[in-house]
Amino acid sequence: MGIKKPIGKYTYEEFKDMAILFHNYPAPGLMFGGYMVECAKEYMPEGSLYEVLVETPWCLPDAAQMLTPCTIGNGWLKVVNLGRYAVTLYGKYSGEGVRVSISPQLIEPYGEFRTWLYKLKPKQEQDTPLLQAQIAHAGASVCKVEEVSVEGRILHKRSKGIIGDCRVCGEPYPVDHGSICRGCQGDSPYVGVIKAATPVLPENIKTKAIEGAVGKTALHDMTQIEPGKSKGPVFLKGHTFNVGDLCVLQRIGKNNVYVTEGEVSDEWVHENDCAYGFAHALCGKNVVVKGEPREGKLELYSSCAGLLTIDKDCLDAFNHIPGVMAATRKGQSLVKKDTAVAGTRAIPLYLPRADFERAQGLLEKPVVNVHPLRKAKVGVLITGNEVFNGLIQDLFEGIITAKLTALGSTVKKVVVSPDDRNTIAASACELVKEGCDLVITTAGLSVDPDDVTRLGLMDAGLDNVLYGAPILPGAMTLVGELNGVQTLGVPACALFHGRTSMDILLPRMLAGLSVTRSDLAAFGDGGICMSCHVCTYPKCWFGK
């Protein structure tokens, strides 16, 4: 096959020995990768700082790590798995560089090399000595070289960001990964949970046939279900079984029951105690626990009417703990007084105390809150030349008034303004001076040249302006503050559609909650109204 071409400053055999030390064996992909990397290096200006991008995770990244200062560990080597055997060296700051790949045409004379590349034979049937000889003879002569410029996202310097302790496993992790670490989110490569195995029940909890349970005490509520009629406990925890109970137990499908032999260790927490502890820790503003645990669970209720909010990150972290659960109504829902808003329980009859305390520790701040809606005195600014000049009848006042009344607020004053920036600005300021503590404007928020409502409000001094939201209908909405007074711009689509962004944002504003760009962005998931023939809002997902 002729002379073996060197790989940079190394002979083929020297690089082969290096490959054995680094890669465990001189893989053909690594050996040829050496030629590819050295070929690319020839095009880089001497003394320049460069990084490497490899388009396959197989072998080629190791060639880059052996022959350049770039490694996966220092972040200068990036692997983007495009499934192509190619390597790019590019300026660290400019992104300009060269890409080296294999040319299918130039490799044709090298039969065994081509067989390896296209996997035409199983590995065990390939002629390895011939393959190595052909790679050494071909070198970089079978490579294609092209100038490239990498995208800005590749040039972006990686960073771990802020580091915090995972609230489930307790280990440090980048908080950008979520409320808990990726391992605890379910991405762990390990089978099972990383912790010492614990028995399912305390040692002194025994199973007894019901005939032998007479005189024993029920360790938990026992449920009877009558399909389509009822579901509830037929025996409560602490009930002492008598002979007459045996038939009832059989009818509900219980042929065996748990009984205790002595005191249960403090290392275990009963399901009722778990439910009690979790429920009270979950309670936030205007949320209360009622009654005692039934069938191992407790529910949380609103103590007033208002807007329900949920700390999703905390709830998510809690539900990642094995053996516990908490479920809530969807956040951003309007609830009446004495509405069940959440429920919680332990999954097993007894929870290991370590798991109980770990779960309880995640509930450092209230998770479930209900925010009462204030009774606002609203100023309504209706804009539009056609309405101001009496060409059409205004319908917005009735729509706005009906929605405010349903939420417990009243209209203090209504002003009609033409599509004129100065008049709109003056009218908005007039409403604030009149003592309105919420200003709602209508229409004039689209892209037409006559739509100047937003500009007029900004002339009046509108602050903290958010314009546009991922909500349909009502994307052209506007939120801000005019001299400290909450301001909501309602797009013209509310004249036609029964439910729009106004129905989502108005309760939040009346509840005294801030509206940020992140809040608006979160409405994108569930932010499209289905325009059902029979509207059931708010008993649907719109805006939640």
Side-chain angles (χ1 to χ4, degrees):
M1 291 299 298
I3 299 173
K4 295 180 178 180
K5 292 184 172 65
I7 298 175
K9 63 181 181 180
Y10 304 105
T11 67
Y12 190 83
E13 296 303 324
E14 286 174 338
F15 190 74
K16 190 174 182 180
D17 290 339
M18 292 167 57
I20 293 172
L21 290 173
F22 190 88
H23 192 80
N24 199 43
Y25 75 104
L30 175 54
M31 299 303 294
F32 183 66
Y35 288 117
M36 297 176 74
V37 171
E38 287 295 338
C39 174
K41 285 170 64 178
E42 291 178 6
Y43 290 85
M44 302 307 293
E46 187 175 352
S48 65
L49 289 174
Y50 60 83
E51 294 189 358
V52 179
L53 187 150
V54 178
E55 298 178 27
T56 174
W58 299 95
C59 297
L60 190 50
D62 281 0
Q65 292 184 106
M66 292 171 64
L67 296 171
T68 74
C70 306
T71 70
I72 291 175
N74 66 21
W76 299 354
L77 169 61
K78 297 176 177 66
V79 179
V80 180
N81 188 9
L82 303 179
R84 304 185 297 197
Y85 218 74
V87 60
T88 298
L89 271 63
Y90 58 91
K92 187 175 182 67
Y93 304 108
S94 68
E96 304 296 324
V98 293
R99 178 178 183 269
V100 178
S101 59
I102 301 177
S103 168
Q105 294 77 29
L106 296 177
I107 203 176
E108 281 290 340
Y110 301 95
E112 198 63 26
F113 195 174
R114 186 176 183 278
T115 294
W116 166 81
L117 178 64
Y118 288 95
K119 308 301 178 196
L120 301 179
K121 294 180 185 177
K123 185 175 181 179
Q124 59 270 24
E125 295 180 15
Q126 294 174 13
D127 187 339
T128 300
L130 177 59
L131 171 59
Q132 290 280 358
Q134 289 184 355
I135 290 173
H137 182 261
S141 67
V142 295
C143 291
K144 179 176 71 173
V145 180
E146 53 192 325
E147 293 184 357
V148 294
S149 179
V150 303
E151 294 181 341
R153 64 184 177 90
I154 300 296
L155 289 176
H156 178 70
K157 189 179 187 317
R158 68 175 185 172
S159 170
K160 292 180 181 178
I162 299 171
I163 305 297
D165 292 338
C166 173
R167 293 188 288 178
V168 174
C169 67
E171 296 184 26
Y173 79 107
V175 298
D176 285 348
H177 290 182
S179 59
I180 57 178
C181 74
R182 288 176 178 170
C184 292
Q185 289 176 32
D187 294 338
S188 171
Y190 306 107
V191 177
V193 182
I194 307 176
K195 65 174 187 177
T198 56
V200 177
L201 287 168
E203 292 181 0
N204 54 344
I205 301 294
K206 306 297 181 184
T207 301
K208 282 271 189 183
I210 57 174
E211 294 80 8
V214 175
K216 299 292 185 179
T217 300
L219 296 187
H220 59 92
D221 294 353
M222 293 185 171
T223 303
Q224 181 177 29
I225 299 174
E226 295 185 53
K229 295 182 180 180
S230 64
K231 173 186 177 293
V234 64
F235 298 120
L236 297 179
K237 177 180 180 291
H239 173 79
T240 301
F241 295 114
N242 57 51
V243 174
D245 296 331
L246 301 185
C247 291
V248 178
L249 288 168
Q250 289 175 332
R251 282 201 304 271
I252 65 173
K254 307 296 182 187
N255 295 312
N256 299 280
V257 295
Y258 286 129
V259 298
T260 58
E261 294 181 356
E263 292 294 323
V264 176
S265 166
D266 286 342
E267 295 302 310
W268 297 87
V269 184
H270 188 271
E271 62 175 0
N272 284 3
D273 297 321
C274 290
Y276 187 86
F278 297 154
H280 283 273
L282 287 163
C283 284
K285 296 177 182 176
N286 303 306
V287 177
V288 296
V289 177
K290 290 188 177 182
E292 296 299 318
R294 283 292 177 261
E295 300 172 275
K297 62 180 178 290
L298 264 176
E299 291 189 334
L300 286 62
Y301 292 82
S302 55
S303 60
C304 70
L307 186 70
L308 175 70
T309 60
I310 307 296
D311 185 330
K312 294 180 181 179
D313 288 344
C314 193
L315 181 65
D316 183 60
F318 177 83
N319 281 323
H320 272 83
I321 298 290
V324 308
M325 64 76 62
T328 72
R329 285 181 178 246
K330 192 68 175 174
Q332 306 301 319
S333 296
L334 285 170
V335 296
K336 297 178 180 179
K337 183 180 179 181
D338 295 324
T339 298
V341 293
T344 184
R345 66 169 300 147
I347 301 302
L349 178 56
Y350 283 89
L351 190 67
R353 183 165 294 278
D355 286 346
F356 170 77
E357 291 178 350
R358 192 152 57 117
Q360 192 84 342
L362 295 176
L363 306 177
E364 300 168 345
K365 56 183 179 178
V367 175
V368 186
N369 297 275
V370 174
H371 305 268
L373 307 188
R374 65 187 177 90
K375 298 183 185 301
K377 295 174 290 184
V378 184
V380 179
L381 174 56
I382 296 170
T383 67
N385 291 329
E386 65 279 23
V387 177
F388 183 78
N389 294 322
L391 299 177
I392 65 170
Q393 180 185 0
D394 170 60
L395 297 177
F396 247 131
E397 181 179 347
I399 292 171
I400 300 295
T401 300
K403 291 182 184 293
L404 287 169
T405 300
L407 296 173
S409 291
T410 57
V411 174
K412 182 177 177 66
K413 186 171 184 177
V414 178
V415 177
V416 180
S417 169
D419 291 317
D420 176 77
R421 287 177 64 167
N422 293 332
T423 306
I424 290 172
S427 299
C429 291
E430 177 189 342
L431 291 173
V432 174
K433 289 178 182 177
E434 289 283 340
C436 298
D437 54 21
L438 172 63
V439 172
I440 295 179
T441 70
T442 67
L445 295 171
S446 190
V447 295
D448 298 319
D450 290 330
D451 289 336
V452 295
T453 301
R454 176 170 60 94
L455 299 176
L457 290 172
M458 295 181 74
D459 290 344
L462 190 68
D463 248 342
N464 302 319
V465 183
L466 295 173
Y467 175 52
I471 304 171
L472 292 172
M476 297 294 192
T477 193
L478 177 146
V479 178
E481 290 183 357
L482 183 58
N483 296 326
V485 173
Q486 289 179 311
T487 303
L488 174 63
V490 178
C493 63
L495 281 170
F496 176 77
H497 295 283
R499 300 297 175 183
T500 67
S501 54
M502 177 185 179
D503 297 276
I504 296 173
L505 296 173
L506 185 55
R508 187 179 184 97
M509 297 172 75
L510 293 174
L513 301 177
S514 63
V515 179
T516 67
R517 176 55 65 186
S518 294
D519 294 326
L520 293 180
F523 287 126
D525 181 9
I528 186 167
C529 176
M530 298 302 292
S531 301
C532 302
H533 180 65
V534 178
C535 179
T536 60
Y537 184 86
K539 295 181 179 179
C540 67
W541 63 66
F542 183 46
K544 300 182 181 62

